[in-house]
Every structure is written in structure tokens, then in C-alpha cells.
Amino acid sequence: MTTPLEAPLELSFDYTRSLGPVLGRFMAGLAERRITGVRGSDGRVHVPPIEYDPVTYAPLSELAPVADEGAVVSWTWQATPLEGQPLDRPFAWALIRLDGADTPMLHAVDCGAPEAIGAGTRVRVRWAQQPVGHIKDIACFEPTSAPASPTPPASAATPSPTAASPAEPVEIMTTPIRLRYTHSASPEESRYLRGLAEGRLLGQRCPECDQVYIPPRGACPVDGLPTTDEVDLPDRGILTTFCVVNVPFPGQRIKPPYVTGYILLDGADIGFLHQVLECAPEEVRMGMWVEAVWKPREEWGHTLRNIDHFRPTGEPDAPYETYQRHL
Amino acid sequence: MAGLCREAIDRALADAGLDWPDIDAVVLGKAPDLFEGVMMPELMLADAIGATGKPLLRVHTAGSVGGSTGIVAASLVQAGVHDRVLAVAFEKQSESNAMWALSIPIPFQMPVGAGAGGYFAPHVRSYIRRSRAPAHIGAIVAAKDRRNGARNPYAHLKQADITVEKVQASRMLWDPIRYDETCPSSDGACAVVISAAPTSGPAAWIHATAMRTEPTTFAGRDQVNARAGAEAAQALWRDAGITDPLHQVDVAEIYVPFSWFEPMWLENLGFTPAGDGWRLTEAGETDIGGRLPVNPSGGVLSSNPIGASGLLRFAEAALQVRGRAGDHQVDGARTALGHAYGGGSQFFSLWLVGADKPGGAA
Amino acid sequence: MTEIAVVGFAHSVEPKTSGATNGVELLVPLFQRLYADLGITKGDIGFWCSGSSDYLAGRAFSFISAIDAIGACPPIMESHVEADAAWALYEAWVKLRMGEVDTALVYGFGKSTAGELRRVLAMQLDPYTTAPLWPDATALAALQARLGIEAGLWTEKEMAEVAARSTRAEAAALLEASYVADPLREHDCAPYADGATAVVLAAGDRARELCDRPAWITGIAHRIDSPSLGARDLTRAPSARTAAEAAGTDSVEVAELHTPYTHQELVLRRELDLADGVRVNPAGGVLGGHAMFAAGLARIGEAARHIMSGAADRVLAHATNGPLLQQNLVCAMSASPSRSGPAR
């Protein structure tokens, strides 16, 4: 009974990033299998390009083409690749200084074993099959036995006579982000959730102010102490205030319009949000008595969703004075 | 993100007649990192916001963060730690979708709400019940703020020809809140330079600041007229020597993401007694030219880059007393309020700025 | 100038708690302990400030629910930084200097084990060119460590000796272990841990009332370096050096450094110009468990404890934030408030 409940939580979104002129042209170059750096205020060529100078903070704009091969400056071994990384077999991470660049860039090197890489190892870009103007157009790097060609840098695919890229700058790049967490409920909340799974509504009283909280809290927000004494609450109460939802949104369970509002259970000192159905939205009133309509028992879990909705009981409305301190 | 912030910063520095070496420290504020999908973006923005090699502080106090950013920057100067501090706040909502970021299903919790509107609409209903305000007050606010926005070159929405009737004809989203009574989803940044000594041009002197916080929910919490907001305002008026805010304050930039929050905050801030805020709005006294123009910039209803919105309120208040608000300038504005709130109406930050130095002729 | 001191410190760090992600459970016991230690109540605190990260909990506005632990009714003066809570202490220090309040409680918390932190931290990197490759935090640290080895600045043996000092193991034995991320071995990397830290600051006579030997902050400063991994010399941390210079760190006896990797202690020893006699992380620092966003503040608390207990008269604490020591804070404390260096 005392183990807190846990459940997976996933954040997953494809972020749409607008690019400024510098990164936009860098990405456009990648689509043509060319790598461009940018010249900083101290003359250093930064690859990948940076938008603002680290010394003067000035916006940078002088693009400089660099080679698609260079030397490893530092490296480490990723024995077990993680989700989203450039390779799904063991590989090396390396800081690589491309020929023509003054700063190293971070990327993966597909070299089979840690013995195959070291400081100074020459590597070259392995391009993605179909570059699209994204950093992932550089699939990874691979060792090369080609002799170092310090300057001028040359690209195999497209000769690039000037710094400026002829291609249209990339305006938007999408970066998918997927992160997984284990969400844990507090011990107080876990007791409440386990109660719900049995069809009970368990509140807890703050030992200091005697107010009954549902759900119970790891700390009474007024006194900063965990709520303690358990209180079984009935599944009926007052609708204190509400709104009529008319807006459709992803994941919506009920076709609008419908009513969501704060239900103050009889004996509780705080309301919670739930739905009020079985009543036309225009008939719903502040102070209306409502009762829970539970889902079939076989559908119950550790959630307040076990209550499908609340519906009016038909009793006379509670006087405003009786619930106004809960608004 | 970098370019967005920098555009605002470059203008602020030019306005102050300053350059990078003049800036001692940078304070950056924005709302949740999930909006842009970058963990602590100030780290990767350090070069762009001119913070490299300097102290950089990142503030995050929910929707009030823009205001808090201004206050933290001001305290660095007031405490004598620095002479000149750059405050920057931004939000780039187009990188993701705030509705998504705010409604990720958290295990064990029942998703009932429908975005921020679904959260705040029941409290608006409570306000209407409590104050007996007529139903068209919200539409009056929305039409006024959108018209004001049309005077502000930086506003996201500009609707010069909007009317109360048009607002009332717009779709009801979260009854009692209509579509035209809600804020847009904006990209934007705001930058403010806070200095211990005058720079070029007129200054907005900071007369007082206040911040207060209370929990999102607790038994018996007043969700309409939050105590934290009222106490913040009382502290602000006390520290600034204001005894009659409605008479002594010339213009207010108040965080109004849903139209009805104008009368609610007028009461919470002590401009009117509880229950009477809507009368000021209805009488047109919050228009430019009224007794207390509210949100001449168009406010949050015209632009809502969330993290920046609070600092925008503070900055717009400063523009007014500096006489630099252009087409939305309130004539003779000498004393102005900047207000921000966040979370479930639980985080408040305020500042009062004046054309005159505190203690001088007011 | 207002005299400000650390007068109370409580900290918890565990490899993995079963507790909730919201921080309340971690914080309530710490607050209660501090109230009891100092003989105060929550009403005595004039300003509250916290540090945490939404990406640790995996949800927006994750710091809001932690406010329940305070019992913020009546309303409080409060602020929050999205950073290690050492920066929250800095904000509180500024508030105390203004003289608006005379007591502040600073806290940091995080359930680091709720997510896959090695991946999550990639989200701190450039979102266009670097984060999309999902370089994990340990690999990045390994690249930094090798740069120093290649440059002859430190060796794997010296790194092992840092670990040996905190784990009381033999360095030679540690070196027999295999690599986690070449050249880093398990002993070189602090394991992520769940934890919370709370520190009470007080000004002037209030500090003397609350504590027999307050740890007076004689200087506190922080700086940030460029985010460009390529533009930075990763074997250096200039921001730590300039922060230390601004804080004034002369003649410290003990240094509590926030170094999640052994080689980072070696970087900092150099940047902070620590003399050979200075005891560094005598209790092992964060190598035993790294409670993200609470750990930097804990260094300040631990350093202050050396003074409060009478074990030292002059100490230094360091906190870091961001990848590979990008952002650094240095706080110098003394048994006497008069020892005040420049405080920028």
C-alpha cells in the first residue's frame, strides 16, 4: 500500500525552428553537400557557423567554405548508442577540425573500434543519401587515408567560388524531440488513486488547519505539512463555477459544447475540475447539486476518470453564501 | 531565437545610447523551456544576448516572468551590484505549440481543461456573478485593446475597425469567453536597459517594485481577487507613496490575456473597490483619453509572446512616462504602472515608473 | 554594505527516491529541519528563491507545485531561476543587499532519475547543429577530459586520484576498471541522484541572532562562457576564473567545488588558483551523487558548514551550470564579515 504509484510520461514533439541568415545558408549548403563556416571578429573560421561573435557579440555574416574532411582533435567511444544519435552501432564521438576551419565541430565517426581513432586521425564526411538542408545531412564522419589538403578547401560535388551560397537559405528545420520519464505520484496522492480504483473518494485533512483536501497533498499549501487523517468523501457535491467548452482540441473526449467546472464534494474544502453532463449547458447553474456517474467497474483504474462525469441531482441549488469562499 | 532577442536588444541599446561594454550583466526571462524545446536557452544564447564573459541570470516565474525579469534586473542596480543591467525576455511560440506543451497528459491526472481558457473561464464566471457586471464588459475591453494595438507598430494583432458588436459576434470558445476576447499566440522579445545613472534621452525612474506569490490552489482561496495580487499592489503603492492610485497613476499596462481580467485586475490592484472595476471599463475611462488608460499598447490581447509579455508591460509603462510611446502615447503621462501575473493567478510582479526621480516633484 | 551570511543548511541526496516528481516530499523535511535548527517559522522568512528545471520533471511549470512545501499563505515574496539553485542564492543575496528583507530561504530540488538525464542534457546544446545529434552528457565530458590529457594538463591517474580521495579507494585499483566513455571510467563520473538543498541567508544582526558562527559571504560572483563548444578552449573555464577574481578567494582553507567529473576539478583548481594546502571537497563533493540543480547550492551550504562548525575560518564554494563548466559561480565566505573583497 505504501509504494507510490509510477507511470511513464513521454514528451514528444517535432519542433519547427526558423533559421537566421547564417544558419539558413549553412543548412542550404549541406543540401548541396558543401560545408560553410563563418568568419569571426578575430579572423577564426567557425564550423558549424555561429550567428554572433563570442568576443564582440557582433552579428557574423562572412561565410567561408571549408573542406568536408579534417582531423580529429578529441574523441571518445560510445559503446551503446542512445536513441536519436547518428549511428545505431558503436561509434566514436569526435571534435573534428575541418580543413579551412579554426574551430572543431562535434560529430560521430564510424570507425568500428576505438583502436581505429586517435587525435590527428583524418576523417571525412559521409553524406546522407538524400540531403535536405538539415544538420543530419552529415550522416557521420569516416576515417580516410587521403592526404591532408590544408587550403584551399574543395568540395567534390559542387565548386563554390564564393562564400555566399547560391542556394536559397533554409528557413525552417524540424527537430523531433522525444524524451521519456517515469512520473511518480506522492504517497498521499497514491493512497487517493488506490482509493479511486476501489470506487472510493479519499480526502485527507491538514493536521494544522483541519481543511479537507481531495486529492490529498504532499504538503498542505497553507501550512507546508503533509495532509494526514483520511476522510471518505461522498460522490456528490456542489458545482461552484464552470465554463462551457465550445472549442474543439486534440484528444477531446466529448463533442462540444459541454460543461467543465469545479465540484466541491460534500465535506471537502477544495473543489476539483470535472465534467457536468446529462443537462443542457444553458441549464447549468453555479451552486447546482451534482452527483458522480461512475464508469463500469471493469474500466476502473488509478484515476479520477473512473467517474465518467457528474450530473445534476435535481435538488434546490445551494445558496451562494454557502460556497462563495470557494470561488 | 537569437535574432528575435537581438532585434529587441539592439533597439534598446540604441535607445539608451549605449554599447556592449556599458552593460555589466544580463538577466533573461522566459516561460517554460518546453515551448522552444531547448533546456535553459540562455546558455546557448549567451553570445547573441551579449552575456558571454558577464553575469547572466535566468528567471522563470511562469507568466509573470517578464515582470520578474525587470525586477531582478532593477534589484541588481538598486543593490549597488551593477551600474547597468540588460533585461531580456522572449518567447518563440511558433517553435512548438503552447497548447501542446501545457496539456501533455500527466499520469494519474484527469485532463478536463481545454487550455488556459478552460482554466480561467470558470473564474471569470465567478467574477461576473460576484460583481454583477453586465455581459458586454469583456467585449468592451477586447475592442479597446485591439484598437489600441492598431496604434502600436509592434503589436501582433491590429484591428483598427473592431467594435464591441463584432467581438460579441465572435465565436464563444469557453463560455463566458469569446474568441475575440482571448490573446493570440505570438513570437516576440523585449529588452530593457536599467541604469543607475541617466543615459541619453528621458528616463523612466523606478519608484517601486513588488513581487508576491501564493499557491495555485488551497482551501478557501480567492481565485478572482487573489490575495497575492492585492498584497503586491498594496506594497507597491506604499513604497511609492501612492495613496490614491486612480488619481495618482496616469496610465497602466496590465497583463490581460482574457478581456475580463481588466476589471478583475483593476479591483485587485486597488484602482477601484471590489466589484466596481467593470464600471470604470464601461464608462470608457480605461480608453486612451480616459481617467486611467489601460493597455494603450494593445496589451496581451494584441500580442502574447508569453515570457516577454510581462516585460513588455513594464517597458510600455516606461515608454509612456518617457513620452516615447508614439501613436499610443497617453498625453501627459508622468506615472505608469507595469503589471504581470502568472500561473493560476498566483505570481504577481509590479513596477511603478515615473517621469520624475523618486522623492522629487511628483 | 549589508553583511550577509549563510546561517542554515539542509541537504538530502539519494541515488533514487521513490518519491514524487514535484519536489514537495524532498523539501518538506528540509524546511522543517531548518525551522527547528534555527528556531524560526516560515513567517520569519522575508524572501524565498528556488532553482530547478522543467526538463528534469518532464513538464512545464514544474516548480509551481513545490511551492506547496512552503505553505505560502499569506502570500510570500518569491522568485525562481531555471538553473542550479546557487543562482537562486545569488538572487536572494541581491535582495538582502537591498535591505528590503533580512532573511531568505533558498532551495533547489530535482528528481534527476525521473528521466534519461544523459539524453535530456543534450537539450542544453545548440538546437540547430548539435542537439539534433543527441550527444550524451558523459560523452561530451569525455571529449573535454581527453583534450586536457592530449594537452598534457592532466592524466588519467590524476583523475583517478581525485576519485580516490573521495571514495577512499586506491587510485591504482580504480585505473584497472574499463572505460565508460574513453578516457572516463565509472569513478570519473558522478552518478545522477535525486535530492534537494535548502539554505537560509540572513543579514547583519539577524544572522548573529540565528547562528553562533555565521558564514559571512565576503564575495559572490558568476560569469558565463560562450556556448560554442568549438570556440571555447574546453580545458579552461575563464568564467570560473573571472568569477573567482570578482568574489575574492584569497587564503581559503577549504574549497567545495561542483565538479560532476573528476577532470573538472583539475580544470577548476587551475582556474581558481587554489594553493596546494587548500582542502578540496573533503567529503567527496558531488562524485558520490549529483543531485542536479540542488548540487551547486549544496556546495555553498557544505562550505558554509565548515565555518559554522568552527572547522575553518575562510572557505570557497563553486557551482556550475550548463554543459562542460559553461557557467560558473564562486562564493567566498569567512568567519568574520569584515573580510570583504569586491562583490561583483
Side-chain angles (χ1 to χ4, degrees), chain A residues 4 11 19 44 74-76 78 82-86 93 104 106 135-136 173 178 181-184 187 217 219 221-222 225, chain C residues 19-21 25 32 42 55-56 58 68 71-72 111 114-115 119 128-129 132-136 139 142-143 146 181-182 231:
Chain A
L11 301 188
L19 299 174
R44 286 193 296 174
S74 182
W75 65 275
T76 183
Q78 183 90 29
L82 302 178
E83 181 186 338
Q85 294 181 340
W93 285 110
L106 176 73
I135 189 66
K136 291 196 156 184
M173 68 181 278
R178 255 165 275 289
Y181 294 85
T182 302
H183 180 84
S184 313
R217 309 275 274 251
V222 172
L225 295 169
Chain C
T21 8
E25 265 176 279
Q32 297 301 325
K42 63 175 185 176
Y55 268 111
L56 225 56
D68 281 6
K111 186 165 176 172
R119 284 186 76 234
Y128 312 100
T129 61
L133 308 177
W134 294 97
D136 77 83
L143 292 170
R146 185 178 307 283
D182 193 343

Side-chain angles (χ1 to χ4, degrees), chain B residues 136-341:
Chain B
H136 64 286
I137 298 297
I140 293 176
V141 175
K144 172 200 57 130
D145 281 3
R146 293 280 164 79
R147 280 197 310 267
N148 287 350
R151 297 170 172 226
N152 178 358
Y154 298 110
H156 178 178
L157 297 181
K158 298 184 170 79
Q159 300 175 332
D161 56 354
I162 197 165
T163 61
V164 172
E165 292 71 31
K166 281 185 188 168
V167 175
Q168 285 178 312
S170 71
R171 184 160 169 212
M172 188 64 92
L173 295 185
W174 301 278
D175 190 340
I177 298 178
R178 292 180 186 278
Y179 176 75
D180 278 342
E181 296 177 274
T182 64
C183 55
S185 170
S186 316
D187 290 355
C190 178
V192 173
V193 177
I194 294 170
S195 172
T199 58
S200 68
W205 294 92
I206 299 169
H207 287 225
T209 65
M211 278 170 88
R212 290 292 185 280
T213 299
E214 68 184 32
T216 321
T217 59
F218 58 86
R221 174 167 187 238
D222 189 333
Q223 308 247 41
V224 174
N225 197 356
R227 184 171 168 186
E231 291 191 2
Q234 286 155 16
L236 186 84
W237 304 138
R238 183 195 64 220
D239 293 350
I242 299 278
T243 49
D244 182 350
L246 188 56
H247 282 99
Q248 291 173 273
V249 177
D250 301 319
V251 52
E253 282 282 343
I254 301 177
Y255 202 110
V256 176
F258 301 101
S259 60
W260 281 95
F261 276 83
E262 174 175 303
M264 287 162 72
W265 293 144
L266 287 172
E267 297 170 22
N268 190 242
L269 287 163
F271 284 114
T272 75
D276 285 351
W278 61 270
R279 295 178 199 277
L280 211 58
T281 300
E282 188 181 41
E285 299 288 10
T286 59
D287 284 348
I288 296 176
R291 280 172 78 187
L292 178 73
V294 173
N295 295 330
S297 67
V300 179
L301 281 172
S302 296
S303 330
N304 189 25
I306 304 173
S309 289
L311 191 59
L312 280 167
R313 305 281 72 68
F314 281 33
E316 286 286 351
L319 280 181
Q320 289 289 345
V321 300
R322 296 173 71 216
R324 295 261 176 116
D327 287 346
H328 61 283
Q329 177 70 43
V330 171
D331 285 341
R334 309 285 301 167
T335 304
L337 169 74
H339 163 274
Y341 88 96

Side-chain angles (χ1 to χ4, degrees), chain A residues 87-210:
Chain A
L87 292 159
D88 56 9
R89 54 183 174 276
F91 66 93
W93 285 110
L95 289 169
I96 300 156
R97 188 180 291 117
L98 295 176
D99 298 335
D102 294 293
T103 67
M105 73 178 289
L106 176 73
H107 219 293
V109 180
D110 188 9
C111 60
E115 291 72 28
I117 191 168
T121 300
R122 299 284 304 172
V123 292
R124 80 152 60 92
V125 170
R126 181 190 297 161
W127 293 100
Q129 292 288 328
Q130 287 185 318
V132 293
H134 192 285
I135 189 66
K136 291 196 156 184
D137 291 348
I138 301 176
C140 65
F141 282 75
E142 61 197 7
T144 172
S145 51
S149 54
T151 50
S155 166
T158 320
S160 72
T162 62
S165 162
E168 287 295 305
V170 175
E171 287 181 359
I172 300 270
M173 68 181 278
T174 303
T175 59
I177 289 172
R178 255 165 275 289
L179 297 170
R180 273 177 277 279
Y181 294 85
T182 302
H183 180 84
S184 313
S186 70
E188 294 78 11
E189 191 187 3
S190 298
R191 291 182 66 80
Y192 152 83
L193 293 167
R194 290 193 166 101
L196 279 171
E198 298 167 3
R200 297 169 68 194
L201 290 166
L202 290 180
Q204 279 187 0
R205 199 179 289 280
C206 167
E208 196 77 16
C209 64
D210 282 344

Side-chain angles (χ1 to χ4, degrees), chain A residues 304-325:
Chain A
L304 188 56
R305 280 190 245 199
N306 296 351
I307 296 179
D308 186 75
H309 61 273
F310 283 80
R311 69 177 168 211
T313 65
E315 293 161 88
D317 290 355
Y320 180 62
E321 299 68 39
T322 60
Y323 62 89
Q324 62 172 344
R325 83 170 192 103

Side-chain angles (χ1 to χ4, degrees), chain C residues 82-106:
Chain C
E82 191 83 356
D84 187 283
W87 277 261
L89 182 135
Y90 184 84
E91 187 179 331
W93 173 81
V94 171
K95 269 281 185 291
L96 286 165
R97 270 179 65 113
M98 287 175 66
E100 264 186 60
V101 296
D102 64 6
T103 316
L105 194 152
V106 183

